Amino acid sequence: MSTPHNSANPGDFAKTVLMPGDPLRAKFVAETFLEDARLVNNVRGIGGYTGTYKGHPVSVMASGMGMPSIGIYSYELYHFYGVENIIRIGSAGAIREDVKVRDLVLGIGACTNSNFASQFSLHGTFAPTASWPLLSRAVNAAEALGVRYHVGNLLSSDTFYNDDSEEANEMWRRMGVMAIEMEAAGLYMTAARAGKNALAICTVSDHLVTGEATTAEERQTTFTAMMEVALETAAAMDKENGAAS
Ligand code: HPA
């Protein structure tokens, strides 16, 4: 069985899938960190790979950009491929002063300016949150690796080019939001509705208030740290299910 956006067969994906936005990043992760990685999907060039990390099965597949895109891929993975855990590994623009470029931001919650939640017809406002089993293991991994990280709220925005960005960013900053990206809230809501787990970890690639940015080399280094946090989280989840290595 395949889906409109995924040609993999049942059983091709591991229980935990890492999702960068960029398909080239997914390929890099598979080639650099996974053993015996094999391509299981390539519809629209959204390469999905499954291999092992320290003996634990892990998959990696890109989400594309924005909530509609991650909404489609995560829905299909959760509902049609038996995936239990999706860890977004992306980049974000910081708005809080204490959040520096190259830091990791772990979204315990994801605010949004999107209308994604309207499909659930709730009589109120849903609060999209990360899953504690993933978040607690990711924090343990970040501590063990000694990387700078923050746990807090992200803003998942429908727009990258925003007509009122200065005012809007300042208002979200006043509410303590750490950084802006474009997918976490859509992923968290899709996971919640499916009864599955999700977490978004982002590296801060640029600072939207100070204008500070990372070089390509720095981005690669911090991306590697984020990858390790995500992979260790995936391995810890698998270990708990009885698999060891
Ligand atoms: N906005 C939205 N997404 C982002 C940004 C941003 O400024 N930087 C990195 N991802």
Side-chain angles (χ1 to χ4, degrees), residues 88 91-94 155 157 159-160 180-182 203 205-206 208:
R88 161 164 157 72
S91 64
L155 170 66
S157 176
T159 45
F160 183 91
I180 306 179
E181 51 82 74
M182 302 184 73
T203 57
S205 55
D206 47 321
L208 303 181

Side-chain angles (χ1 to χ4, degrees), residues 4 144 194 197:
N197 294 318

